[in-house]
Amino acid sequence: MSSNNRKTIFPFFRTLPDALGKDRSAFARKRVCIIGAGYSAATLALSLDQLRAEGEGPSHVLWLTRASTALPYARLANDPLPSRDSLCARANALCANISKESDDTQRNDERQVKRVCGACPLFVHVPDTTVLEVEDVEEDVKFDCGTRHEGRALELTYSSGWKPGELVVAHVDTMVALVGYRPASELSRELQVHLCYASEGPMKLAASLLAASAGGGDCMSQAAPGVGTLLTPEPNFFVLGSKSYGRNPSFLLRVGFAQAALVAGVLAKNAVAQ
């Protein structure tokens, strides 16, 4: 198990695992659940597809996403990052193949999702989902195909807008929750720092980012916020880098470098003034 896993006898990853390398054993011939629709989830889904092409793929992959669209990624016109566009296109193609091959499983008969058999190769993408519960269970289940699985498993309960009012239960061996990050605020808990209730980043910067994103667009086109957005009620205390964006996923390293340069200028002026 990776150090970023929760305490369980099963692999439970909260960051992108190395499915083709050191974490391979957690996925090879295992029942896997991916939760999330960011670029990390796309990277993992394609890695598992590559693992399958190499003859050691998972016996089952259940990919849960929150958006209601059948394809998880909206591609950007004239994307300045060709690799990102390729990643989205390939992940969408994988989901499109899933929809064509197992539409009945997703929309009309989810029995195999409810009782997933480790011997049945299946790759299912279910959009518009909310995960309700995950627990370790003792498993002694006879599946629709006639095989039986005994031992322990992670039992995942979720609801899907594709089947309103119905709870779906799946048994898996490995779970990967790629659902974003939140900043650790312990360092500044006793300081006067006004945090945004939505992103948990400093309020002034969060408001600036929200206003800038109102018209849509790509994170690559963002400009470094002015120094005024980095000020907090706490004198000479600044939150920089990815932590300054909180839950907002659009942070870029070049923005962080610009932030550091701005704050260095402010501190230098303050030192001269003193």
Side-chain angles (χ1 to χ4, degrees):
M1 286 172 49
S2 298
S3 60
N4 55 24
N5 297 347
R6 76 171 201 175
K7 292 183 178 180
T8 172
I9 62 174
F10 301 96
F12 194 123
F13 297 88
R14 296 183 184 274
T15 57
L16 182 62
D18 183 7
L20 297 176
K22 63 182 181 64
D23 298 316
R24 193 183 189 100
S25 62
F27 299 94
R29 302 179 179 87
K30 299 292 178 63
R31 298 168 298 176
V32 178
C33 177
I34 306 172
I35 303 173
Y39 298 128
S40 294
T43 300
L44 177 59
L46 293 174
S47 293
L48 296 183
D49 194 47
Q50 175 63 32
L51 199 61
R52 181 170 57 178
E54 296 176 6
E56 291 190 321
S59 58
H60 177 94
V61 176
L62 175 64
W63 187 2
L64 306 180
T65 56
R66 184 169 58 180
S68 59
T69 55
L71 300 181
Y73 299 100
R75 297 171 63 187
L76 299 172
N78 302 315
D79 194 329
L81 297 176
S83 295
R84 177 176 61 183
D85 183 61
S86 174
L87 179 69
C88 293
R90 292 167 59 204
N92 282 345
L94 180 60
C95 291
N97 290 337
I98 293 168
S99 298
K100 292 177 182 178
E101 295 172 4
S102 56
D103 186 66
D104 289 341
T105 299
Q106 293 184 56
R107 292 177 180 266
N108 303 319
D109 181 5
E110 295 206 31
R111 287 178 298 169
Q112 292 200 52
V113 176
K114 292 178 182 177
R115 292 294 182 224
V116 173
C117 173
C120 300
L122 199 60
F123 199 135
V124 177
H125 169 239
V126 185
D128 199 10
T129 57
T130 300
V131 177
L132 303 173
E133 185 178 18
V134 179
E135 62 177 335
D136 298 348
V137 297
E138 190 69 33
E139 185 180 40
D140 185 359
V141 181
K142 185 176 181 180
F143 298 96
D144 292 340
C145 63
T147 60
R148 180 180 295 275
H149 188 92
E150 298 181 6
R152 297 196 66 81
L154 282 173
E155 184 173 87
L156 171 74
T157 304
Y158 67 91
S159 63
S160 173
W162 281 28
K163 295 185 74 70
E166 180 174 309
L167 296 182
V168 183
V169 177
H171 287 188
V172 299
D173 304 306
T174 299
M175 182 171 292
V176 186
L178 300 174
V179 294
Y181 305 91
R182 63 186 300 178
S185 58
E186 288 79 7
L187 179 65
S188 60
R189 190 177 301 278
E190 300 300 325
L191 302 180
Q192 301 177 73
V193 181
H194 188 192
L195 298 179
C196 173
Y197 65 90
S199 70
E200 297 187 64
M203 180 58 78
K204 290 183 178 181
L205 178 57
S208 174
L209 293 173
L210 180 62
S213 64
D218 178 27
C219 66
M220 292 296 294
S221 62
Q222 66 179 306
V227 69
T229 64
L230 302 177
L231 299 176
T232 69
E234 185 71 27
N236 291 326
F237 182 82
F238 303 90
V239 182
L240 308 180
S242 61
K243 182 178 287 191
S244 69
Y245 274 51
R247 295 175 182 266
N248 189 317
S250 59
F251 174 76
L252 300 174
L253 281 175
R254 63 175 172 81
V255 172
F257 297 148
Q259 288 178 337
L262 288 171
V263 170
V266 170
L267 296 178
K269 288 182 180 179
N270 291 346
V272 172
Q274 293 175 358

